[in-house]
Amino acid sequence: MIPLPDDFVVTPWEVSGDVDYDRLVEMFGTQRIGDELTSRLIKHTGEHQTMLRRGIFYSHRDMNLILDDHEKGNGFVMYTGRGPSGHTHLGHMMPWIFTKYLQDKFGVELYFQMTDDEKFLFGPDLTLKDTKNYAYDNALDVIALGFDKSKTRIFLDTEYSHMLYNIAMKVAKKVTFSTTKAVFGFTNSNNIGSIWFTSMQAAPAFLPSVLKEKNIRCLIPCAIDQDPHFRIARDVAEGIGYFKPALIHCKMLPSLAGSDKMSASLPTTSIFTTDSPEQIKKKIGNAFTGGAVSVEEQRQNGGNPDICSVYQYLYYIFEVDDSKLEERRRKCQAGEILCGECKGELTTQVTNFITDHQEKREKAKDVVEDFMLRD
Ligand code: TYM
């Protein structure tokens, strides 16, 4: 297993503790997004997108090769996905919002994998029917974000299995049991489906090259927790005749409890796209903040935005205006605003976003089939 420190854990199936993202770049062997790459991205997109500007998307593998191919006119495609174990929460939406932004700017195709097999294999309480239902439910969220219908293809592992199995087998032949043990920490008691699964998550990185019958580079935007799968995919890629997939990674949106990631298994501290305004209000009302124990103390000593989940939500997604964010930070530290005010502001922002999203989600039900990739 990747040697991580005792105080946090980051694997595709668990993120907990106070994650040191700088440390993770070193441990996973990825690259930070530096000034040169940032300038190239700004050159192509015409803006310094909020998640890049704030260092939320902060790490990559071979993003420069993607831009090289784009500049040479060879093009590239994107691939990302979802493990359908429940409803979609705001954390999942973060990389998708960024992916949509890249699709708009570069006009490229997106392949979107629903790993209903993964969530059946790894989730003790879910049937295959459950994970398949969640896959179609989660697909509504993807579509509601406004991905281009002519350039976006969604598929479920169990339903697009003929194509995927043929690619996954080529990957699997190159990956030993000891590699999966080393990368994911598997032991002899893991079921054999779990051990095979990484080859299914690798397969879509090569799928566009198979479909187009010519090699094309693939960029995978995701949170950094998914990187271990793609380290394996990159190791085998050239040996089976394809380019190594490139990645661009974001940090994890924390839970409303302040630390760890927003997780579907912690429903009271995660906001789902299916939540009602009452649920949103209640969850944000109970959120962990950086406030002092009493109003008097906070007025006198100020609060601490750095540990405050409400501030983090504004920072990660809901306040795109840097000067407004900075002003809120200053006022908090100076004791000029109290937690109730920030919670109220976030509740309004989240409720507006989710209400609008839910309307789009309803409309998405009519067009799901237009997005599906089938054998
Ligand atoms: P899943 O369903 O756990 O997560 C879907 C996407 O959301 C990211 N993510 C988060 N991002 C920010 N903050 C969070 N709190 C948070 N929680 C999850 C994940 O990194 C992911 O990008 N096995 C995958 C599904 C998958 C996939 C892929 C993901 C299949 N192919 C290719 C990314 C790229 C999974 O269970 O993701």
Side-chain angles (χ1 to χ4, degrees):
M1 173 116 97
I2 303 151
L4 284 172
D6 296 338
D7 46 350
F8 67 88
V9 178
V10 177
T11 76
W13 301 287
E14 187 189 355
V15 178
S16 61
D18 195 5
V19 180
D20 180 339
Y21 286 99
D22 290 325
R23 189 92 203 272
L24 218 46
V25 163
E26 282 165 38
M27 323 237 68
F28 283 7
T30 67
Q31 307 282 305
R32 275 197 152 268
I33 298 176
D35 293 344
E36 206 183 314
L37 181 55
T38 302
S39 306
R40 282 185 88 185
L41 282 165
I42 294 174
K43 188 182 111 197
H44 285 292
T45 59
E47 66 174 296
H48 199 180
Q49 201 266 356
T50 314
M51 291 190 203
L52 278 172
R53 197 171 69 239
R54 296 202 177 149
I56 297 165
F57 267 84
Y58 82 114
S59 151
H60 76 105
R61 292 181 188 270
D62 285 350
M63 185 67 207
N64 43 335
L65 297 184
I66 291 287
L67 294 180
D68 287 350
D69 267 16
H70 176 69
E71 285 165 11
K72 283 182 207 148
N74 296 334
F76 69 96
V77 295
M78 290 193 294
Y79 153 47
T80 196
R82 159 81 178 129
S85 57
H87 291 298
T88 300
H89 62 55
L90 288 176
H92 304 129
M93 302 268 276
M94 262 177 45
W96 305 348
I97 291 169
F98 189 72
T99 305
K100 155 86 168 66
Y101 162 79
L102 292 177
Q103 184 180 65
D104 288 347
K105 294 293 177 184
F106 289 95
V108 294
E109 289 177 1
L110 169 68
Y111 292 80
F112 197 106
Q113 179 180 40
M114 292 288 178
T115 54
D116 55 338
D117 53 346
E118 173 191 16
K119 293 301 161 181
F120 169 68
L121 290 166
F122 287 86
D125 303 327
L126 293 169
T127 64
L128 262 180
K129 195 164 175 240
D130 294 333
T131 59
K132 195 178 282 225
N133 286 341
Y134 278 130
Y136 279 98
D137 172 89
N138 297 169
L140 300 178
D141 293 306
V142 176
I143 296 167
L145 284 176
F147 285 101
D148 183 338
K149 189 160 65 176
S150 67
K151 295 197 176 108
T152 304
R153 291 291 164 262
I154 303 174
F155 50 92
L156 275 64
D157 284 356
T158 58
E159 292 185 348
Y160 194 48
S161 49
H162 177 251
M163 175 61 88
L164 290 176
Y165 186 64
N166 278 283
I167 307 173
M169 263 195 308
K170 290 189 191 161
V171 176
K173 195 170 178 180
K174 299 277 182 194
V175 182
T176 63
F177 182 30
S178 74
T179 297
T180 65
K181 284 202 274 191
V183 172
F184 301 112
F186 291 148
T187 66
N188 284 352
S189 48
N190 280 97
N191 69 55
I192 58 173
S194 319
I195 293 152
W196 143 268
F197 170 71
T198 195
S199 48
M200 287 298 284
Q201 186 153 329
F206 312 122
L207 171 69
S209 295
V210 174
L211 292 175
K212 292 175 193 304
E213 297 179 355
K214 69 166 193 188
N215 276 357
I216 182 154
R217 278 194 201 276
C218 176
L219 171 66
I220 308 173
C222 58
I224 195 151
D225 63 328
Q226 298 296 317
D227 184 75
H229 284 298
F230 301 117
R231 214 167 38 217
I232 292 185
R234 284 169 57 83
D235 282 350
V236 306
E238 286 168 348
I240 58 172
Y242 303 111
F243 292 128
K244 288 176 194 270
L247 289 111
I248 186 157
H249 306 106
C250 66
K251 299 175 182 171
M252 316 290 299
L253 181 71
S255 83
L256 287 169
S259 66
D260 299 353
K261 67 165 179 172
M262 181 168 274
S263 161
S265 58
L266 299 167
T268 56
T269 56
S270 301
I271 292 171
F272 296 92
T273 59
T274 48
D275 280 351
S276 65
E278 294 71 35
Q279 285 172 308
I280 295 169
K281 188 166 181 221
K282 190 168 172 201
K283 288 178 187 183
I284 297 178
N286 290 332
F288 175 80
T289 69
V293 284
S294 68
V295 171
E296 294 71 41
E297 203 180 306
Q298 188 159 346
R299 288 266 179 233
Q300 200 175 345
N301 299 334
N304 182 357
D306 293 329
I307 58 163
C308 174
S309 67
V310 174
Y311 181 80
Q312 294 304 315
Y313 278 67
L314 293 167
Y315 181 86
Y316 272 76
I317 306 181
F318 290 100
E319 181 54 87
V320 289
D321 184 328
D322 288 349
S323 55
K324 284 194 187 156
L325 190 72
E326 192 43 48
E327 180 60 1
R328 182 174 297 279
R329 184 183 177 79
R330 188 198 63 72
K331 281 187 174 169
C332 168
Q333 286 172 325
E336 289 172 24
I337 43 171
L338 299 176
C339 300
E341 199 178 312
C342 291
K343 283 180 173 176
E345 174 64 25
L346 183 64
T347 304
T348 306
Q349 299 273 3
V350 174
T351 308
N352 290 345
F353 175 82
I354 297 281
T355 308
D356 178 57
H357 181 77
Q358 286 174 355
E359 278 168 24
K360 293 178 178 152
R361 225 178 163 270
E362 274 309 301
K363 291 193 186 129
K365 289 180 180 163
D366 298 333
V367 292
V368 175
E369 201 47 43
D370 297 347
F371 282 84
M372 299 309 290
L373 191 54
R374 306 233 176 247
D375 276 323

